[in-house]
């Protein structure tokens, strides 16, 4: 019976910590609810890349059609369901992720993200090799203006190069803190939140388009 009570208490603590984390991103005017926070976090996760592939996990831009080209195609590749795809599927995924204003077109001959196979007339996703550093972000604040959201994020790195340890670094590779791999993700986020002035931050503008969220611009804090 005592073991059961301990398990219940631990689960309750985890639930409370998750709720607290979600609530830190909700603006004081209470116009953004928890469900919207979750949707925004999920969308940013889709477009947040790896700096060893695209140099920046999320580059700055004023117009999606002027955004870093490699990042654009790698985001599309990351969100495709299959390794083998068609020109139409690539372009459709671009519209889904970046909105109807997205005008980039993949070159017929392919690029660094997609290899064009003449025999099948299809595109094959190129291989990705990742290191032991995971590019991550923390929602800092969200403001809602009609169908648009102004989102602030804190960027950080989770370094898994040491056994049983996670080293939290900023984008300049400076070590900010450490946790055990057995610790929860919430503990990592608490370290980031408590040292936010030591991390890079970005402002993101996102809008609702039909049933999707799409990114409009990104700039540094």
């Amino acid at each position: 019976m005592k073991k059961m009570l301990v398990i219940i208490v631990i689960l309750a603590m985890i639930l409370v910590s998750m709720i607290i984390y979600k609530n830190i991103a909700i603006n004081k005017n209470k116009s953004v609810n928890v469900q919207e926070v979750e949707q925004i976090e999920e969308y940013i996760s889709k477009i947040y890349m790896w700096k060893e592939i695209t140099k920046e996990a999320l580059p700055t831009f004023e117009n999606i059609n002027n955004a870093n080209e490699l990042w654009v195609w790698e985001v599309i590749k990351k969100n495709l369901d299959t390794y083998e795809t068609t020109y139409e599927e690539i372009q459709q995924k671009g519209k889904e992720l970046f909105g109807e204003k997205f005008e980039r077109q993949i070159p017929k001959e392919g690029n660094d993200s997609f290899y064009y196979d003449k025999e099948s007339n299809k595109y094959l996703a190129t291989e990705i090799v990742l290191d032991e550093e995971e590019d991550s972000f923390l929602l800092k604040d969200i403001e809602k203006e009609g169908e648009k959201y102004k989102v602030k994020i804190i960027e950080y790195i989770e370094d898994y190069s040491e056994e049983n340890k996670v080293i939290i670094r900023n984008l300049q590779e400076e070590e900010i803190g450490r946790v055990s791999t057995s610790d929860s993700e919430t503990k990592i986020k608490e370290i980031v939140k408590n040292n936010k002035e030591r991390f890079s931050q970005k402002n993101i503008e996102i809008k609702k388009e039909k049933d999707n969220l799409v990114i409009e611009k990104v700039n540094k804090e």
Side-chain angles (χ1 to χ4, degrees), residues 40-209:
I40 290 168
E41 183 179 38
E42 181 182 0
Y43 173 69
I44 296 176
S45 296
K46 288 181 179 180
I47 64 173
Y48 205 78
M49 296 303 299
W50 307 282
K51 65 181 177 62
E52 67 266 39
I53 303 296
T54 58
K55 294 187 179 180
E56 283 189 273
L58 182 64
T60 58
F61 57 87
E62 292 294 320
N63 183 308
I64 187 59
N65 294 304
N66 297 326
N68 178 277
E69 187 170 1
L70 180 59
W71 173 80
V72 167
W73 298 115
E74 287 295 318
V75 168
I76 291 173
K77 181 171 74 175
K78 175 184 176 182
N79 288 278
L80 287 170
D81 296 326
T82 60
Y83 171 79
E84 185 179 83
T85 187
T86 65
Y87 174 90
E88 290 74 21
E89 288 169 339
I90 292 173
Q91 297 301 141
Q92 181 180 352
K93 182 59 68 172
K95 294 283 188 182
E96 177 187 317
L97 291 165
F98 302 128
E100 291 301 319
K101 291 183 179 179
F102 179 68
E103 297 174 351
R104 292 272 182 86
Q105 294 185 346
I106 188 167
K108 179 66 177 179
E109 67 276 11
N111 55 23
D112 290 339
S113 303
F114 295 96
Y115 167 76
Y116 177 64
D117 182 58
K118 293 181 180 179
E119 291 186 6
S120 63
N121 193 31
K122 289 190 175 182
Y123 293 84
L124 309 179
T126 56
E127 184 180 3
I128 294 177
V129 179
L130 300 176
D131 58 25
E132 294 178 300
E133 293 186 348
E134 182 177 329
D135 300 275
S136 305
F137 67 90
L138 173 68
L139 295 178
K140 180 184 177 183
D141 186 51
I142 301 173
E143 292 182 11
K144 186 176 182 180
E145 297 179 357
E147 294 297 300
K148 294 188 177 184
Y149 300 95
K150 291 186 176 180
V151 183
K152 293 183 179 181
I153 64 168
I154 304 171
E155 298 185 288
Y156 64 99
I157 297 169
E158 295 178 17
D159 182 351
Y160 292 87
S161 60
E162 292 191 18
E163 188 175 0
N164 299 322
K165 294 288 183 182
V166 183
I167 306 170
I168 297 93
R169 302 183 184 277
N170 58 25
L171 299 192
Q172 290 72 46
E173 296 289 341
E174 177 187 6
E175 180 177 331
I176 308 300
R178 294 180 175 229
V179 299
S180 168
T181 51
S182 60
D183 288 323
S184 69
E185 187 71 18
T186 302
K187 190 166 184 179
I188 294 176
K189 293 183 184 300
E190 283 297 322
I191 291 174
V192 174
K193 186 174 67 171
N194 292 334
N195 295 276
K196 57 182 178 290
E197 70 282 351
R198 300 178 67 183
F199 292 94
S200 301
Q201 300 183 36
K202 284 194 174 103
N203 298 315
I204 309 171
E205 291 190 18
I206 296 172
K207 71 173 182 178
K208 280 189 176 181
E209 189 173 281

